[in-house]
Amino acid sequence: MSAPRRDRPMFGIGLKVSSVLIFLVMASLLKGAEGVPPGELVFFRSFFALVPILGFMALRGDFPSGMRTAHPVAHLRRGLIGGFAMGCNFFALTQLPLPEAVTITYGAPLLIVVLSAVVLKEVVRVYRWTAVLIGLVGVGIIVTPRLTLFTGGGDLSGASLGAVAALCGVVFMSMASLAIRDLTRTERSATIAFYFMTTATLLSLLTLPFGWVMPSPTALAMLIGAGVFGGIAQILMTESFRHADMSLIAPFEYTSLIFSVMIGYWIFGDLVSWQTLVGGVIVVASGVFIIVRERKLGIEQARIRDQASRLG
């Protein structure tokens, strides 16, 4: 792969926003294919995402060389964790309004900070801990009305189970991010995406005995389209980081809140609750603060290293 060029920030931002919108189109197609089990959704999302990913690898001259890896176990671990995250998120998508399902996933970057401190022993200072705690309060505001088992309803079904699945998806997404961080030190982005989609496809087949259905022609077209769109969005997201710094691009992930509200209302008639709006604003604000804080720390550390190299 050629060296990243981070001198085209507006182009990188455009790619990122495009990927966010296309991911939401993917989610809308999956949600629109009603009656299809989550495991089957994972299969279509993963298998047909391989089409644009392999096409992109061939276009860049990375096929079949991009399929070679010296770390198959690490790819398998990342694929299993990511596959479970996808299954949880897709189940939540079938049970919750689109904006709510999307907003809960904003808790993943907050949990990554916690896991980085606990697992990787990274130094996390009081500012980021405070932002994480406030952000998790925002997630709690979103999901608490759904958790009727803990609020006197005594029932854990439907939307309540969807909220629990979404929270589990956040945990798996955070774990997957740590696995990806390790893989990116030695592996190409296309290689990581290829093995993730392959592993998730095989993992989804284990759910066959639990009630896969034969989709209608319309639902089948939506499922295939979701996979292809998901692959395209993944490519655009990866490419966005080649043209601008991650700290600049990352906040634009939160544009999905605006898009999901619009798509959810226009297509599915989903009305956003005040809990989702308030909690979403809190989580987004916390996430943006962490990103800005990371950017400032990175600039400061780069300045210290530069001074040290000059003195040395």
Side-chain angles (χ1 to χ4, degrees):
M1 297 180 66
S2 58
R5 288 184 54 203
R6 295 192 171 91
D7 55 352
R8 302 175 66 190
M10 295 308 297
F11 185 64
I13 290 171
L15 290 175
K16 176 61 176 179
V17 174
S18 297
S19 74
V20 167
L21 183 55
I22 295 174
F23 269 130
L24 285 174
V25 171
M26 176 206 77
S28 300
L29 290 172
L30 292 173
K31 187 175 179 63
E34 296 181 358
V36 178
E40 193 171 353
L41 294 179
V42 172
F43 172 81
F44 280 97
R45 157 68 176 99
S46 304
F47 181 77
F48 287 97
L50 289 171
V51 175
I53 290 173
L54 290 174
F56 183 69
M57 290 171 68
L59 187 65
R60 296 183 63 91
D62 290 334
F63 183 83
S65 61
M67 300 169 66
R68 299 181 191 136
T69 179
H71 306 282
V73 175
H75 281 290
L76 177 62
R77 181 170 59 248
R78 182 270 185 273
L80 290 174
I81 296 172
F84 281 118
M86 197 184 298
C88 291
N89 289 335
F90 288 175
F91 178 78
L93 194 64
T94 64
Q95 302 296 319
L96 298 172
L98 180 64
E100 195 169 323
V102 169
T103 306
I104 293 174
T105 64
Y106 294 159
L110 305 175
L111 197 56
I112 289 171
V113 175
V114 178
L115 292 179
S116 297
V118 175
V119 179
L120 302 181
K121 307 301 180 184
E122 292 184 359
V123 177
V124 178
R125 294 181 173 84
V126 64
Y127 291 106
R128 277 188 291 167
W129 278 122
T130 302
V132 167
L133 292 174
I134 293 174
L136 292 177
V137 169
V139 174
I141 291 173
I142 299 169
V143 302
T144 298
R146 298 293 186 183
L147 302 181
T148 56
L149 181 66
F150 307 106
T151 57
D155 181 32
L156 187 60
S157 61
S160 298
L161 198 56
V164 172
L167 292 174
C168 292
V170 166
V171 174
F172 285 122
M173 287 170 64
S174 306
M175 295 169 61
S177 295
L178 297 188
I180 293 171
R181 184 182 300 183
D182 285 337
L183 283 169
T184 52
R185 296 171 183 170
T186 58
E187 303 290 275
R188 306 176 185 185
S189 298
T191 306
I192 296 172
F194 170 76
Y195 282 105
F196 170 42
M197 292 295 105
T198 301
T199 304
T201 298
L202 296 176
L203 181 64
S204 68
L205 293 176
L206 297 178
T207 67
L208 262 170
F210 299 98
W212 279 30
V213 300
M214 177 60 70
S216 67
T218 300
L220 181 61
M222 295 172 74
L223 292 170
I224 294 173
V228 173
F229 277 121
I232 293 172
Q234 199 151 358
I235 292 169
L236 292 176
M237 180 184 66
T238 301
E239 283 297 291
S240 70
F241 296 118
R242 296 173 60 83
H243 299 280
D245 290 332
M246 184 178 294
S247 58
L248 175 64
I249 289 176
F252 288 90
E253 176 70 31
Y254 297 120
T255 57
S256 60
L257 178 58
I258 300 171
F259 292 143
S260 65
V261 170
M262 295 168 59
I263 293 174
Y265 178 74
W266 288 339
I267 297 180
F268 301 105
D270 293 335
L271 296 176
V272 184
S273 67
W274 70 265
Q275 292 96 336
T276 299
L277 284 176
V278 173
V281 169
I282 293 173
V283 175
V284 168
S286 300
V288 171
F289 176 84
I290 290 172
I291 292 167
V292 172
R293 181 72 179 170
E294 287 292 324
R295 181 177 177 82
K296 288 182 178 179
L297 290 175
I299 292 173
E300 179 64 21
Q301 291 171 358
R303 185 184 64 81
I304 294 173
R305 288 194 299 268
D306 183 58
Q307 291 178 345
S309 64
R310 291 178 182 177
L311 291 175

